[in-house]
Amino acid sequence: MSVTATIDGKSVDIREGESILEAARRCGAEVPTLCYDSRVDPSASCRLCVVKVDGRRLPVASCAHALTADMNVTTSDDELEENRKTILKLVLSENPTEECRSCIERGPCELHSLATDYGVESDYYDGAISGRIPEDSNPFIARDYSQCILCYRCTRVCNELEQAHAIIPEGRGFGTNIVAPFHESLLGSNCTFCGQCIQTCPTGALMDKKMLGKAVAEDVTKVRSICPFCGTGCGIELNVAKGEFIGVTPDWDAPASAGSLCVKGQFGIDFIRSPDRLTTPLVRRDGVLQPATWDEALTLLVDKFQTVRAESGPGAFALWSSARAPSEGNFLMQKLARAVLGTNNIDNCSRT
Amino acid sequence: MAVMVGRGAMTNSIAELENAKLIFATGTNTTETHPVLALRVKRAVARGAKLIVADPRRIELTGLADRWLRLRIGTDIPLYNAMAHVIIKEGLYNKEYVERRTEGIEELADFVKGYTPQVAEKISGVPAEDIIATAREYATAGNAAIIYTLGITEHSCGVHNVQSLANLGLLCGYFGMESAGVNPLRGQNNVQGAGDAGCTPNYLPGYQRISNREAREAWEREWGVPIDPNPGKTKISILDEIMEDKVRCVYIMGENTAVSDANVLKTRAALDRVEFLVVQDMFLTDTAKMADIVLPAAAFAEVDGTFSNTERRVQLLNKAVEPPGEARADWEIFLDIINRMGYPLHYNHASEVWDEQARNSPILAGINYDRIRMQGIQWPCPTTDHPGTPYLHKEEFFSEKGYFQPVPHVDLAEPPDAEYPLILTTGRRRPTYHTGTQTGRVDGFELLVPREGLEVHPDDADALGIADGDLVEISSRRGSLQLNAIITDKSPEGVVFMTFHFPEGVLTNILTTDAHDPVTETAEFKACAVKVAKVTEPEEIPASG
Amino acid sequence: MADRTGSHAPFLPMLHDAMEHTETMSEETLNALSNALRIPASYIHQAASFYHYSNLGKDHVLREGTCGGPTCCLPGVGVRRGTPGEGIACPGLCDQAPAALAGGVFRGTAADPFLPPPPPASVDGVEEVLFHDIRIPGLRSLDVYRANGGYEQLRRVVEQDDAEEVIVNLRASGLLGRGGAGFPLAAKWQAVRETPGDRKYVVCNADEGEPGTFKDRPLLHLNPHLLIESMAIAGHVVGATAGVIYLRYEYPEAYDVLNEAIAEAEAAGVLGDFDLQVARGLGSYVCGEETSLLNSLEGLVPWPRERPPFPTQKGLWGLPTVINNVETFCSVPAILERGADWYRHLGRDESAGTKLYSVSGRVARPGPYELPLGATARELIEVAGGGPLPGRAIKGYTIGGISGGLLAAEHLDMPLDYAAPRQHGFALGSGGVVVFDDACCVVDLVRTCMLFYEAESCGKCFPCRVGTVRLRERLDALTGRAEPSANLIDEFNEIGAAMSANSACGLGQAAPLVLHGLVRFFGEELEAHRQGVCPAGVCHFL
Ligand SMILES: Cc1cc2nc3c(=O)[nH]c(=O)nc-3n(C[C@H](O)[C@H](O)[C@H](O)COP(=O)(O)O)c2cc1C
Ligand code: SF4
Ligand code: SF4
Ligand code: SF4
Ligand code: SF4
Ligand code: FES
């Protein structure tokens, strides 16, 4: 019994549950997609991933079909490429022609990268532009559906992955709009502001409002880190421009989260830029906390510690570490307690 | 759980939850506390997994559940014991596994005889047939995962709750099985890491008991000083020792104890009293305001370091931006103090601090910064060629065997009575985190949960003459405060609910009791007796103690 | 809200119920539906906002309007349509054009909207099978139906209990699906029969949304028991005890007719344990596509599903499902009664059986006619349909309703069978034919067709969602509504090719066919329009 198929002349092993698209990409074929997000069911909307399969009258959407034994698949030929190009021209034609803000600020979006790959500009097939822009003052997500290509990634991610059921396509055909049912603004809707819709959007239709206008793509570096809020430990990328933190994007390779984030990890990191941050040590003088130098503060601290240790021994100390601080700080606090002060009175706040 | 299988961590991985055939979620409002982890639960359900939720309150998970066991607050033990009863009586447990890997089945069987589903129904309010069905489905699922959070542990009987729950996993052989296990979900980002690092009175780094001579000696060699072989004092005992002036110096890192502790007035009294208080934090929290010295700490984004998540995965933080002003990384502050204390010490980089911790902690020994640059590793990871451990207890437990623990039901530490007829329970909401030190400073978050409120059941509200939005006064034996009522049937009759996120307006923990678990000393956040009354003359000051 | 959760497909009936009480559907109603159906409210919102006649996401239910379909917009028939969204979707009254919706009722100009005209005796070999009894008064009642041999075949099938034999017979009859795709009926039933499963469904596609198609209409309104009997036979053969008739919104009278007939049949016990229900659509052409139809029944947005899996494997609620067109089902009892050979030889040449054709537009006697499969267009148009209007010359015609393609008068002798249209890349489809003559502008007609596709495109896939609009816009320009672009023909070809090859369902794949016909057979008229001249004088240029 054969357990292989052929893709572009190469023999490929069949893997349970794998689509033609995934198999083709696995063996190096470049199949374009716009509506594909591996985490949710395919909607087979963009029709860019169509490939020819022997025995099928029409090309099939490779994202939505399993690779099965003995299939003979062609992922690219003149006709396929020509039609892909036409489809790209069509979707570009439903968006305004001004420069895409995602491309400017986040780097080339999926739509425009593909367009560049295919040598397609946006001035083909002049006609009506689709997408109603809601009046939405929410502080997190910018929604400009004139840029939307109705790939339904945001709505599938919101409904299938996040299961927030906040946004959904409303209406039919060219008149379809992405809406939060009964709500113009996402505030007050089911939206949890997980930001997942922004992250999957292949165009500039959904943008992180907090990052909007903060920097141009060339100036942004992404530094991998871990969300500092809950124990899930989602992977994040800290976006930094000119030394300033400007926002968060998910780390798609993080094992626990695989690209997902919640509102805290996605939009909650700007506390680090708060003007309330402590910037110098404070010491209590005349009953009031007043700024001091590190040397002043630590001299005071160490003097006091030495005195108390001499007078009352290690049992007079208690150190409470932080379940929020990095482990290295925790380790050294415990070393301070055990190795320097000589006490095991070290605890952490995990109990609350 | 540590006494049963040798470890108290999440047995399995977050991603594995997706493939569980049954998930028993108890005392966990996962969608609010661990939203992304909850996605795995949702996806498992979408794939056809059964979800059974035990929770007194109606939460998002109960809406997704195949069955909702709406137990009375504080009646977990009879529920789990009755499940064990059914599983044993009907012979549904994994006999081969129990035989080979556990001890104490007879005692347990004997003990739970009294916990018939009918008895449990009387105590918990969960219909006996639901208990029976749950027990059967759990035992026969093939692979079933239990997840729980503070709803289980934040009780004066927290340890017993967990043990009676873990008995179920042990009975069915779910310890050491992929996509199964018994999984405590750690609340804060680095609870696991703080524990890994030895920040507990009775454990050295890497969960080595302070009483373990070998371990102690290894650290003594590393540090060149003797280590006190007696466990230190927990936080709750320290509070008493402060009041007795035995403890004179307290050093708190990154914790808003003066807001987050149960019976917070007692904590405040102690911190007021202590001779010398050092607080190291990013913000001038209510706790920091009480300090003698406040040290400005760098945020996670401003340092290199590691967090260990709830699935025991050590993950790398990379410094992205400079700390503001003179703020410094926690480890650098300690390094400075240690040197000034006359103990010469030097590290070039945070990674060297990690390496020191790892090399004397067998479960961490194989982990270093280079290995976790792309993806974190789950301990135990004894050697640098070890891939890490996605799920624990595969071949053996940390202890010799799995030990069943028969545990009896005890009543709430502070049951409602004529004077304080309602139960207050506390919890979290997604957009806010802990005491709000951080989330309270995020632009826009104020729009998501505009104001704290006290959730009151419509029937209770009727009886008390309270309408939605009314200002009410809630009092416990320890204090009282005022806030607005939200009328909802999310909590059952007789139970009111609020969070502890908003210290500025509402200091919830004025009310809560510090009655605590004798082993972990975790306080009973989840239940205290209160009374609620409508306030006729609105006052300006919301909190009064 | 009545509890219909025991129903095989409760969504549509419950949505209809919910709409009864409100002009605009409220969030509360939606949530109540969501709770009752255990479907997330967002999905219900998506699904319900999709349909023409729902009141969700709109400010009211549409209750008035004239038809914007291709027949009704022909000159001398109805009004020339202006902009997208103007006029209602074709309600299947093209033989009585112009059709209109008033007070929730769809009506054309005929006094009796349902009765087919008498058969054209002059067409060679015509023998009615499906329409054989249709003019018998009172046929809707169980008694009359039975008096004419009704439910005999069901009884025999049940009695003999030899499903294989039935399938052998049906295979020998050569009966192909009459809904459009022409898939062999026996193969479909066989597939469902062989798919393991103790629960299966029989679904009837009575959506008849194709413009210029109204052939199922007489059967649905006048001979409900024939369909019921046929579906019960299917149930018995494939091993299904549940059936659903998906009836288009535009046939409200048939809803009552079918429900009454089912009740009568059930009361008389003729259906055995076969449980049949009717679900009424809410206005959407694409719901006639079989997988959209299934999604519609399940309360999901009625976008087509990707196939495989085919409905025979995973149909309604993921269970093996037979879906056939009304006409296909209704052909079965006669075949069982009179034999496969007899049936087969009713068709011309290689074609088997009879076909219900619909002819409308610029002919003297528009209407539904049953002719031998393979009768020529000329026979349908000139003989059955009575030929051109006085003093007029036929210029061309569309087939498959409008979705099969567009031909010129020179093709009148083409047999209307499954094979002949393929030579042009066209398809017989539903058997509907819309005729236009020298008073009509073919460019304007093609534009009206495109308006229809644009309005009915579900929006699932890029090529069709945008392509239909871009094509219509270009036809706007050609018909004097805007400036035409220079490389118009290239654009037609490019967009058409991408739509035909890459669209996710038959709608988008077929939408460019009328345009192909225009470009290929009416080059001169097209070129004249590019120069700003409409030879028929229909289009007015800026
Ligand atoms: C856009 C579209 C609309 C359709 N509408 C109908 C319809 O109204 N009635 C119908 O019977 N088939 C319709 N079909 C064909 C069905 O998909 C399917 O082929 C048919 O119901 C199968 O039944 P049959 O084998 O008896 O023809 C349509 C197909 C497409 C692509
Ligand atoms: S932010 Fe999350 S919940 Fe809100 S619309 Fe986007 S995906 Fe849905
Ligand atoms: S908003 Fe973005 S993700 Fe959503 S449908 Fe439009 S283009 Fe796709
Ligand atoms: S993003 Fe949300 S779920 Fe993930 S770690 Fe942060 S707080 Fe937890
Ligand atoms: S071809 Fe048109 S109708 Fe069919 S799926 Fe695509 S958009 Fe929908
Ligand atoms: S990726 Fe397959 S259709 Fe878009």
Side-chain angles (χ1 to χ4, degrees):
Chain A
M1 203 183 80
S2 159
V3 282
T4 59
T6 309
I7 298 180
D8 296 336
K10 279 183 256 174
S11 174
V12 186
D13 57 310
I14 310 276
R15 295 190 186 168
E16 172 74 24
E18 198 179 41
S19 66
I20 301 175
L21 175 69
E22 288 153 352
R25 286 187 169 168
R26 172 160 61 84
C27 61
E30 278 181 33
V31 182
T33 58
L34 279 174
C35 69
Y36 178 73
D37 181 326
S38 63
R39 302 168 302 163
V40 290
D41 288 347
S43 72
S45 291
C46 73
R47 314 306 289 185
L48 291 170
C49 74
V50 298
V51 296
K52 290 184 178 170
V53 175
D54 283 8
R56 296 287 298 252
R57 187 175 61 89
L58 289 172
V60 303
S62 61
C63 64
H65 287 89
L67 186 71
T68 51
D70 296 329
M71 236 178 207
N72 187 18
V73 176
T74 307
T75 66
S76 178
D77 64 17
D78 287 352
E79 193 186 346
L80 287 170
E81 295 303 341
E82 205 45 53
N83 287 337
R84 285 173 181 157
K85 201 166 165 175
T86 303
I87 293 173
L88 276 173
K89 291 182 191 171
L90 282 171
V91 297
L92 286 169
S93 78
E94 64 168 331
N95 288 353
T97 47
E98 74 247 24
E99 209 183 333
C100 165
R101 47 191 192 152
S102 173
C103 292
I104 299 171
E105 298 189 11
R106 298 193 292 206
C109 70
E110 275 181 54
L111 173 64
H112 293 107
S113 328
L114 261 190
T116 311
D117 291 351
Y118 276 82
V120 176
E121 319 229 325
S122 54
D123 55 355
Y124 292 95
Y125 306 154
D126 178 38
I129 285 171
S130 68
R132 195 185 68 82
I133 304 173
E135 276 175 38
D136 189 347
S137 62
N138 87 72
F140 308 108
I141 301 176
R143 304 157 73 200
D144 174 2
Y145 294 125
S146 70
Q147 307 266 0
C148 170
I149 58 172
L150 293 178
C151 67
Y152 309 118
R153 277 162 68 164
C154 56
T155 52
R156 280 177 289 146
V157 161
C158 184
N159 287 279
E160 292 173 29
L161 187 75
E162 177 71 3
Q163 292 189 30
H165 301 292
I167 51 171
I168 202 78
E170 178 182 88
R172 190 183 53 247
F174 198 71
T176 306
N177 282 300
I178 308 296
V179 303
F182 297 103
H183 291 275
E184 187 72 2
S185 167
L186 291 175
L187 284 173
S189 77
N190 284 342
C191 178
T192 64
F193 295 99
C194 68
Q196 288 295 293
C197 48
I198 302 175
Q199 307 305 343
T200 192
C201 181
T203 72
L206 299 177
M207 299 274 286
D208 182 334
K209 238 184 212 177
K210 289 192 165 182
M211 279 169 85
L212 212 57
K214 287 258 166 66
V216 291
E218 300 83 80
D219 290 341
V220 179
T221 47
K222 292 175 190 245
V223 181
R224 297 170 76 129
S225 190
I226 301 297
C227 171
F229 289 108
C230 87
T232 308
C234 299
I236 57 176
E237 293 171 343
L238 299 165
N239 286 237
V240 177
K242 303 204 162 117
E244 285 280 316
F245 164 79
I246 59 165
V248 167
T249 45
D251 173 358
W252 297 97
D253 299 324
S257 50
S260 295
L261 294 177
C262 79
V263 61
K264 284 174 278 188
Q266 179 64 59
F267 294 115
I269 304 295
D270 47 356
F271 73 87
I272 65 169
R273 283 190 318 214
S274 163
D276 297 347
R277 284 288 298 274
L278 291 169
T279 53
T280 66
L282 306 174
V283 298
R284 193 170 294 279
R285 293 196 190 98
D286 311 325
V288 209
L289 283 172
Q290 293 179 2
T293 65
W294 275 103
D295 193 50
E296 283 167 345
L298 293 190
T299 306
L300 216 74
L301 183 154
V302 167
D303 283 355
K304 184 76 187 177
F305 275 22
Q306 301 282 27
T307 317
V308 170
R309 201 164 100 110
E311 288 171 8
S312 311
F317 292 92
L319 291 83
W320 298 336
S321 84
S322 170
R324 270 163 277 169
S327 301
E328 289 68 12
N330 277 294
F331 177 77
L332 279 196
M333 187 183 220
Q334 126 350 111
K335 184 167 179 178
L336 170 65
R338 292 199 165 110
V340 181
L341 297 170
T343 177
N344 282 321
N345 286 349
I346 168 94
D347 206 350
N348 71 77
C349 52
S350 73
R351 300 191 168 82
T352 60
Chain B
M1 204 155 77
V3 290
M4 300 171 66
V5 293
R7 226 27 116 231
M10 192 169 166
T11 55
N12 289 57
S13 302
I14 293 170
E16 284 173 38
L17 282 173
E18 216 169 307
N19 297 318
K21 299 215 177 63
L22 182 146
I23 295 175
F24 182 41
T26 173
T28 171
N29 194 358
T30 326
T31 56
E32 299 294 310
T33 56
H34 297 75
V36 170
L37 187 146
L39 299 182
R40 307 282 185 170
V41 178
K42 292 178 179 176
R43 253 176 288 168
V45 171
R47 288 183 177 187
K50 240 192 185 77
L51 174 66
I52 299 175
V53 178
D55 206 297
R57 300 189 70 233
R58 184 153 49 74
I59 52 178
E60 193 181 335
L61 280 184
T62 58
L64 296 170
D66 294 282
R67 188 176 306 117
W68 171 20
L69 311 178
R70 191 170 203 175
L71 76 175
R72 294 194 186 104
I73 287 186
T75 62
D76 299 80
I77 291 173
L79 172 65
Y80 311 146
N81 281 352
M83 283 173 66
H85 172 101
V86 174
I87 292 171
I88 295 172
K89 188 174 141 208
E90 300 190 359
L92 301 175
Y93 62 98
N94 186 334
K95 295 176 193 82
E96 184 272 329
Y97 179 97
V98 166
E99 172 86 359
R100 188 165 51 84
R101 298 192 56 180
T102 71
E103 247 177 65
I105 177 78
E106 293 78 18
E107 289 82 348
L108 180 72
D110 219 39
F111 181 81
V112 298
K113 272 210 182 96
Y115 284 91
T116 63
Q118 289 70 28
V119 167
E121 168 171 346
K122 270 216 189 78
I123 306 173
S124 68
V126 179
E129 64 264 28
D130 283 357
I131 301 177
I132 295 170
T134 304
R136 287 179 183 158
E137 283 164 10
Y138 174 76
T140 57
N143 54 314
I146 291 176
I147 56 174
Y148 66 91
T149 334
L150 302 172
I152 296 296
T153 53
E154 278 186 0
H155 278 291
S156 51
C157 54
V159 164
H160 281 174
N161 280 348
V162 173
Q163 289 175 344
S164 60
L165 190 57
N167 282 335
L168 301 174
L170 216 45
L171 272 174
C172 300
Y174 292 148
F175 280 98
M177 183 188 280
E178 194 171 341
S179 296
V182 176
N183 300 285
L185 310 181
R186 302 304 214 154
Q188 297 170 64
N189 57 314
N190 202 29
V191 176
Q192 198 69 57
D196 297 355
C199 291
T200 43
N202 48 352
Y203 284 103
L204 286 161
Y207 300 100
Q208 304 173 84
R209 279 191 186 280
I210 200 87
S211 53
N212 173 344
R213 218 178 80 198
E214 239 170 86
R216 224 171 42 240
E217 281 170 4
W219 286 106
E220 285 172 346
R221 271 194 302 279
E222 175 73 43
W223 292 338
V225 293
I227 297 173
D228 182 352
N230 303 306
K233 301 258 165 36
T234 62
K235 204 168 140 187
I236 284 189
S237 329
I238 295 280
L239 293 180
D240 293 333
E241 298 217 337
I242 293 173
M243 298 318 273
E244 295 159 18
D245 295 332
K246 282 192 193 146
V247 166
R248 296 172 59 194
C249 297
V250 172
Y251 191 152
I252 302 175
M253 160 164 72
E255 183 187 356
N256 197 3
T257 298
V259 172
S260 61
D261 279 7
N263 192 2
V264 74
L265 295 178
K266 182 172 165 184
T267 306
R268 289 191 170 195
L271 295 184
D272 251 347
R273 169 133 185 170
V274 75
E275 187 179 323
F276 189 65
L277 177 64
V278 181
V279 172
Q280 181 167 312
D281 208 309
M282 287 179 285
F283 296 100
L284 194 63
T285 60
D286 286 357
T287 311
K289 284 180 190 150
M290 304 173 79
D292 298 286
I293 294 187
V294 179
L295 302 176
F300 80 104
E302 296 150 5
V303 302
D304 292 328
T306 60
F307 287 153
S308 298
N309 76 352
T310 184
E311 54 173 358
R312 302 166 275 106
R313 190 184 298 277
V314 180
Q315 309 198 94
L316 194 64
L317 308 169
N318 292 295
K319 177 170 176 173
V321 288
E322 290 300 328
E326 292 171 38
R328 289 157 87 182
D330 293 308
W331 71 271
E332 289 174 319
I333 301 174
F334 291 119
L335 182 62
D336 199 345
I337 295 172
I338 290 172
N339 275 297
R340 284 169 188 260
M341 290 290 293
Y343 182 108
L345 189 62
H346 180 73
Y347 304 101
N348 287 308
H349 185 255
S351 65
E352 295 177 6
V353 183
W354 171 264
D355 292 342
E356 178 179 325
Q357 173 181 339
R359 71 176 159 260
N360 291 297
S361 306
I363 58 167
L364 304 174
I367 302 176
N368 58 51
Y369 277 28
D370 278 339
R371 284 193 74 194
I372 58 174
R373 219 157 280 288
M374 294 312 286
Q375 283 197 340
I377 296 177
Q378 289 169 282
W379 61 250
C381 175
T383 55
T384 48
D385 54 3
H386 188 285
T389 309
Y391 60 96
L392 300 178
H393 317 302
K394 189 174 180 186
E395 306 299 339
E396 54 195 13
F397 297 112
F398 288 95
S399 47
E400 206 168 305
K401 290 234 168 171
Y403 302 104
F404 287 107
Q405 293 289 326
V407 287
H409 169 62
V410 287
D411 285 328
L412 287 178
E414 191 183 83
D417 55 20
E419 199 190 347
Y420 296 98
L422 299 170
I423 299 178
L424 168 70
T425 183
T426 63
R428 290 155 206 259
R429 288 190 226 282
R430 175 164 3 194
T432 42
Y433 178 75
H434 219 64
T435 66
T437 306
Q438 292 161 21
T439 48
R441 293 187 168 84
V442 174
D443 288 343
F445 273 28
E446 71 284 357
L447 296 170
L448 301 182
V449 181
R451 192 172 150 59
E452 189 57 91
L454 179 73
E455 296 186 1
V456 185
H457 190 276
D459 294 351
D460 294 330
D462 271 357
L464 296 163
I466 298 169
D468 196 72
D470 277 358
L471 188 69
V472 295
E473 180 167 86
I474 173 169
S475 328
S476 75
R477 292 192 168 78
R478 290 154 294 277
S480 70
L481 51 85
Q482 297 187 352
L483 75 172
N484 294 87
I486 301 167
I487 310 298
T488 160
D489 60 0
K490 278 189 189 158
S491 294
E493 219 187 312
V495 175
V496 292
F497 173 84
M498 62 194 293
T499 66
F500 60 93
H501 296 303
F502 293 86
E504 296 84 356
V506 177
L507 195 47
T508 312
N509 285 327
I510 285 177
L511 306 167
T512 49
T513 160
D514 59 347
H516 52 263
D517 187 286
V519 180
T520 64
E521 304 202 340
T522 301
E524 181 123 59
F525 279 95
K526 288 294 167 187
C528 72
V530 293
K531 63 182 173 194
V532 173
K534 186 172 165 166
V535 175
T536 27
E537 286 289 300
E539 275 179 50
E540 263 305 292
I541 317 132
S544 66
Chain C
M1 207 176 288
D3 181 18
R4 296 185 187 261
T5 42
S7 136
H8 300 310
F11 171 70
L12 286 167
M14 290 184 71
L15 189 57
H16 278 282
D17 285 353
M19 281 173 46
E20 293 248 306
H21 308 293
T22 48
E23 260 310 284
T24 305
M25 195 174 303
S26 66
E27 194 168 359
E28 289 71 46
T29 312
L30 184 81
N31 289 338
L33 269 175
S34 163
N35 288 336
L37 292 161
R38 292 194 56 95
I39 302 175
S42 61
Y43 290 156
I44 297 195
H45 187 95
Q46 180 185 18
S49 67
F50 185 93
Y51 300 95
H52 293 301
Y53 296 104
S54 98
N55 64 350
L56 195 135
K58 310 184 176 81
D59 48 16
H60 65 283
V61 195
L62 183 64
R63 291 186 200 282
E64 314 283 330
T66 51
C67 176
T71 304
C72 287
C73 292
L74 287 173
V77 178
V79 279
R80 189 167 173 255
R81 207 174 169 193
T83 50
E86 213 178 84
I88 59 167
C90 170
L93 295 162
C94 322
D95 53 341
Q96 312 158 33
L101 164 66
V105 179
F106 297 90
R107 278 291 179 271
T109 53
D112 184 336
F114 310 124
L115 199 66
S122 43
V123 172
D124 181 31
V126 77
E127 176 174 356
E128 287 188 324
V129 177
L130 293 147
F131 284 171
H132 186 267
D133 295 339
I134 203 120
R135 297 171 199 85
I136 298 173
L139 185 65
R140 285 173 186 168
S141 80
L142 183 62
D143 288 347
V144 177
Y145 180 69
R146 270 176 157 168
N148 287 276
Y151 288 111
E152 264 312 295
Q153 298 314 311
L154 174 61
R155 192 187 53 77
R156 265 186 45 202
V157 168
V158 173
E159 244 173 49
Q160 293 173 354
D161 198 23
D162 190 349
E164 287 302 332
E165 173 68 17
V166 175
I167 289 183
V168 166
N169 253 320
L170 291 173
R171 183 171 299 119
S173 77
L175 176 60
L176 303 180
R178 298 296 194 232
F183 190 81
L185 175 92
K188 192 181 275 184
W189 288 20
Q190 177 86 356
V192 176
R193 183 176 157 68
E194 283 171 1
T195 307
D198 38 341
R199 280 173 61 215
K200 299 177 184 179
Y201 283 101
V202 176
V203 173
C204 173
N205 189 339
D207 198 45
E208 192 150 73
E210 182 66 41
T213 305
F214 36 84
K215 63 181 181 80
D216 296 337
R217 193 186 67 203
L219 293 170
L220 290 166
H221 288 90
L222 301 174
N223 199 355
H225 286 290
L226 177 58
L227 177 60
I228 296 167
E229 178 179 7
S230 308
M231 290 181 71
I233 292 173
H236 196 79
V237 170
V238 304
T241 54
V244 179
I245 301 171
Y246 189 99
L247 179 73
R248 72 180 311 207
Y249 179 81
E250 287 84 348
Y251 291 168
E253 289 95 337
Y255 186 66
D256 296 336
V257 169
L258 288 165
N259 275 322
E260 277 162 33
I262 290 169
E264 222 187 338
E266 270 174 358
V270 292
L271 296 183
D273 62 352
F274 188 70
D275 183 26
L276 186 59
Q277 295 170 354
V278 191
R280 192 180 166 208
L282 216 67
S284 160
Y285 166 58
V286 81
C287 286
E289 198 286 334
E290 58 188 15
T291 57
S292 300
L293 184 152
L294 296 174
N295 281 340
S296 175
L297 287 176
E298 292 182 16
L300 302 174
V301 69
W303 292 350
R305 301 175 181 173
E306 294 296 312
R307 285 167 298 188
F310 292 93
T312 50
Q313 307 154 289
K314 281 184 182 218
L316 187 58
W317 308 113
L319 300 169
T321 302
V322 163
I323 305 183
N324 280 115
N325 173 252
V326 177
E327 180 187 349
T328 322
F329 275 123
C330 290
S331 304
V332 169
I335 296 173
L336 298 183
E337 185 191 342
R338 302 185 61 182
D341 261 3
W342 163 80
Y343 182 78
R344 185 174 202 102
H345 289 109
L346 291 173
R348 294 267 173 81
D349 303 327
E350 296 302 297
S351 300
T354 61
K355 174 83 191 88
L356 297 181
Y357 296 99
S358 318
V359 60
S360 65
R362 304 275 291 175
V363 286
R365 274 200 321 146
Y369 295 98
E370 183 170 10
L371 303 181
L373 182 57
T376 63
R378 191 181 301 285
E379 284 173 291
L380 175 65
I381 295 169
E382 293 188 349
V383 184
L389 297 173
R392 286 291 159 193
I394 286 173
K395 190 150 91 185
Y397 61 99
T398 64
I399 60 170
I402 57 171
S403 301
L406 182 144
L407 293 134
E410 67 202 73
H411 304 111
L412 274 174
D413 292 315
M414 184 184 81
L416 295 174
D417 61 12
Y418 290 99
R422 277 198 202 121
Q423 292 160 14
H424 302 286
F426 292 162
L428 173 68
S430 64
V433 164
V434 180
V435 181
F436 54 95
D437 62 17
D438 55 354
C440 307
C441 169
V442 63
V443 186
D444 197 61
L445 170 65
V446 169
R447 173 179 176 273
T448 322
C449 294
M450 208 54 72
L451 273 173
F452 172 78
Y453 292 125
E454 169 186 349
E456 300 297 336
S457 167
C458 77
K460 162 178 162 160
C461 76
F462 291 12
C464 166
R465 176 175 55 83
V466 190
T468 49
V469 176
R470 291 294 172 265
L471 292 179
R472 191 264 307 155
E473 286 166 338
R474 271 135 197 84
L475 290 159
D476 279 356
L478 277 176
T479 51
R481 293 162 168 101
E483 273 309 309
S485 57
N487 46 349
L488 198 79
I489 305 293
D490 288 347
E491 292 184 342
F492 278 160
N493 289 336
E494 276 175 28
I495 298 174
M499 286 173 70
S500 293
N502 289 35
S503 289
C505 87
L507 190 154
Q509 289 156 10
L513 293 182
V514 275
L515 195 62
H516 290 333
L518 171 69
V519 172
R520 240 180 298 156
F521 306 129
F522 295 92
E524 252 171 64
E525 201 168 333
L526 181 61
E527 192 48 37
H529 280 78
R530 295 187 68 185
Q531 308 304 324
V533 181
C534 176
V538 171
C539 307
H540 310 288
F541 289 88
L542 300 169

